[in-house]
Amino acid sequence: MKANNRDIQLKDIVFSEYPDEGGHFDRFGGMFMAETLMDPVLELAEAYKKYMKNPQFLKDMDRDLAYYVGRPSPLYYAERWSEILGGAKIYLKREDLNHTGAHKVNNTIGQALLAKYMGKKRVIAETGAGQHGVATATVAARFGMKCIVYMGEEDIRRQAINVYRMKLLGAEVISVKSGSRTLKDACNEAIRDWITNVDDTFYIFGTASGPHPYPAMVRDFQSIIGREAREQILEQEGKLPDAIVACVGGGSNAIGLFHPFLEDRNVKIYGVEAAGKGIETGQHAAPLTAEGTKPGVLHGTRTYVMSTEDGQIIETHSVSAGLDYPGVGPEHAWLKDIGRAKYVAINDEEALQGFHDLTRYEGIMPALESSHAVAYATKLAPTMSKDQTIIVNLSGRGDKDIHTVAAWEGIEI
Amino acid sequence: MNRIEKRVTACRESGRKMLIPFITAGDPDLKITLQTMQSMVKAGADMIELGIPFSDPVADGPVIQRACERALLNTVTTKQVVDIVKEFRKTDQETPIIFMGYMNPIEVMGYSKFTTLISEAGVDAVIAVDMTPEESNEYSKAMNAAGLESIYLITPTTPEERIKRIVSLAGGFVYYVSVRGVTGAAELDLNEISAKIKQIKQHTKLPVGVGFGIRDQKSATEIASVSDAVIIGSAIVRIHENLNQTPEQIPAAVSEFITGIRTALDGM
């Protein structure tokens, strides 16, 4: 294993220098893939580097982000909720207002455009909550590409509406029946598809994890969240926020918000993982927060992975399908190690309360994933003063979760 | 010479095509695994590839996935597989044993602990499916220090420049994956395989074995006509699956299958 260079102090780190050429964030990240996929992964890394300097590519992406996705998304001051909490002013970055209802589309537009420039006509994706699957099926329809989405059988049950949305968009949804039948197994199956159809297929990966270049690429596509939020808060408050908060499953919405603030050393950064039924029960999805999680290798990258002493991946638990993942993006693992970001966890019950709070106090229904960030803000805000500000990334809207919320409360719809 | 080199040299000198069967350790239990290893050697296997069960085997097709699930249902651990190798070595000092698995269990245990443990038990080489030349620096050091060979995969998508890099790190033999796909997949394209092996041989003196998609005597002899070794996995694991209810029959059934392949290879 690569030695973690503890001699480098946090203050000396230049964040824009990470990852290195091979996709490493110090000891995390890299490329751990079956050999069949190494050539396409290296080809993708080259193509990504090339097209991010191509003015036409960037122009096409900006146009779609503005007119198709509807960017910039607003930064909304949640006045009533902030007053009720009685502490810091809370701003919501409204990624829920994007086309398709979540931040996921920022990334799928970027990757689908890249697929188009690379001449790939078939795209595949994994999905947990279905948001990334919907965002992929959407852009596949937009660009006229064949689209296959892998989804765990358990998630298909939890997210029936999103499954139907994907089908309406022309995607084929394949039910994954192996392992825990959730996001990680959907990833496994998508990787197997890619190994088998390597010549014509582009894997649109949904989170800031996987082999290089995915963690950096997904981060860059999602960083529009943080770039906009930084400008918007300066415009509205005349100063940077004191804290920024986002939920972390794989961690793409979080890294998108965090990255443009990394050099602003006074901005505190909080990543909120899913504590599920409670960290102490072992039934959670919080590799960064749970003590004793070791670095391992999952889905092509070295990062903190929830596994047994023998290295078998542990089945995770969260009420929100989108956070139900035993690994985490390698940049988050690194940010935790160097102490630039703090990772905390919110359990199912607290997340549900966050869902209700925001719905009732602001008329904004957050996705259960985003509700974890909301719930943490309800703890954080009262500890801060009224002249301080927090930005919470509202990564998606909650319509898709209405059935889960109802079932949780014993209500039949 | 280490065990693999001795075996390779002996086979080369006698013109024998090497036969390397794969089984998932602990499918359905470790006692059957040990008996099956012994019966495969008697039936004419030249080396044995032992799969370390893993919860998320992304390069494997459904047959080997299910074998991993069956083994993990009995909570078979890496350490227990190592113990089976120790048992095997009590009566067989010659047949090379190759571990095949995924990186996470190795990362979690730690490279030097893993390599020391398995080398002391009598394992000769490791195929880590998701280890790449790009990430191999520390891994190679630990493998070399323990006297283990690193076997790397080369696939139809590996370009020539990359083949050179891979064979410079490889030991034992080169494992050529015959198909674009997971284990147990699809039809073999003999012309493509033959051309790729010729390309590999321009850059290494190591023998080339071919695996993925070899299932019977016909495909085995076809592959052997263009390579040094045939590696058979899913076809043997399927025998395990079919006899899951009567596991005591597995060693003999696998032996019969191996004997058939051996006879076909020797009759070429």
Side-chain angles (χ1 to χ4, degrees), chain A residues 1-3 22 24 29-40 42 177-179 184-185 187-189 191-192 195-199 294-300 302 305 307-314, chain B residues 52-61 65 69 72 76-79 103-105 107-111 129-135 138-139 153-159 162 166 177 179-182 185 212:
Chain A
M1 219 182 279
K2 224 178 184 179
H24 301 100
M31 305 171 127
F32 294 86
M33 274 321 244
E35 175 57 26
T36 306
L37 292 178
M38 280 308 290
D39 193 51
L42 291 165
K177 295 177 167 61
S178 57
K184 97 175 157 67
D185 310 283
C187 274
N188 293 347
E189 219 46 47
I191 291 172
R192 290 183 187 119
I195 291 176
T196 309
N197 301 290
V198 56
D199 291 332
K294 286 184 184 173
V297 167
L298 181 65
H299 299 143
R302 183 186 285 129
V305 180
S307 38
T308 66
E309 221 170 287
D310 192 45
Q312 307 300 338
I313 309 298
I314 292 174
Chain B
I52 308 295
F54 182 50
S55 54
D56 295 75
V58 294
D60 285 300
Q65 285 174 48
E69 282 174 17
L72 291 176
V76 169
T77 66
T78 305
K79 282 178 188 148
M103 282 311 292
N104 197 58
E107 293 268 331
V108 168
M109 189 181 287
Y111 293 168
V129 179
D130 46 358
M131 172 46 76
T132 56
E134 281 78 2
E135 304 294 339
E138 297 296 317
Y139 172 78
L153 306 183
I154 289 177
T155 72
T157 58
T158 310
R162 196 170 166 81
I166 291 174
V177 173
V179 294
R180 291 166 175 77
V182 292
F212 287 41

Side-chain angles (χ1 to χ4, degrees), chain A residues 81 92 96 319-320 346-378 392 394 396-409 411 413:
Chain A
W81 185 41
L92 302 173
D96 60 316
V319 68
S320 83
I346 284 291
N347 67 30
D348 288 348
E349 212 166 309
E350 294 169 322
L352 261 296
Q353 190 55 50
F355 173 91
H356 284 300
D357 284 354
L358 203 64
T359 303
R360 294 298 295 274
Y361 297 141
E362 292 290 348
I364 296 171
M365 199 175 283
L368 282 178
E369 291 77 20
S370 323
S371 299
H372 286 71
V374 168
Y376 188 68
T378 64
V392 174
L394 205 66
R397 69 175 183 225
D399 311 45
K400 70 182 174 62
D401 294 312
I402 289 176
H403 281 85
T404 307
V405 174
W408 179 273
E409 275 146 26
I411 296 162
I413 299 180

